[in-house]
Amino acid sequence: QDQRAEWLERLDRDYAGVVHAAYLGFGRDPKQGEMLYRRMDALDPRMVKRWIRLAWATDLTEQVTRVQVPVLAVLAERSWPANEPWAAVAEALGYSGMPRLRATRIADCGHFVMLDHPAELASVIQGFAADPEGLRVAMR
């Protein structure tokens, strides 16, 4: 939370620096990170700032406990490291307490899984849609 507050405060002073650093980190490598940054840099900074503030300042931890439909969380390894237990990641990301959550990790990609492994992501989503309760498919 302290880091978020620091980044939000810095957003007004150094918009380009904050967005550049964030999107470099989202890429699977520096080249993709730069491409992602250029796409964001082409957008209206007022809109992007509003979106960033909403994304970083909104805490839905209590609301997720009331979600009654099955939910699939698809995460890159950077969000869910291979050596990290799901319980710790779920807590850090605000997913703990979500009653019907299934999670999967896709390796070797940046934050935007759909850019790096679209076919694997589609397969994961298709499997979830066919069996949202996970009765036939074990969690990865």
Side-chain angles (χ1 to χ4, degrees), residues 7-96:
W7 279 85
L8 285 170
E9 187 274 325
R10 198 174 136 212
L11 187 61
D12 288 326
R13 287 185 291 107
D14 184 18
Y15 169 79
V18 168
V19 173
H20 189 247
Y23 278 83
L24 276 181
F26 287 161
R28 76 176 166 274
D29 56 38
K31 183 178 178 182
Q32 187 185 53
E34 286 294 342
M35 181 269 303
L36 293 168
Y37 169 70
R38 284 192 307 277
R39 288 184 179 175
M40 285 303 291
D41 192 43
L43 300 175
D44 180 346
R46 294 170 300 172
M47 179 195 68
V48 175
K49 282 182 183 182
R50 284 194 300 266
W51 176 80
I52 289 172
R53 288 187 189 292
L54 178 66
W56 285 353
T58 303
D59 181 0
L60 300 174
T61 305
E62 289 185 34
Q63 288 85 346
V64 301
T65 63
R66 296 191 298 269
V67 175
Q68 294 303 309
V69 297
V71 173
L72 174 65
V74 180
L75 301 170
E77 227 170 344
R78 66 187 43 216
S79 299
W80 180 8
N83 62 348
E84 188 126 5
W86 171 246
V89 173
E91 179 71 30
L93 296 177
Y95 288 123
S96 62

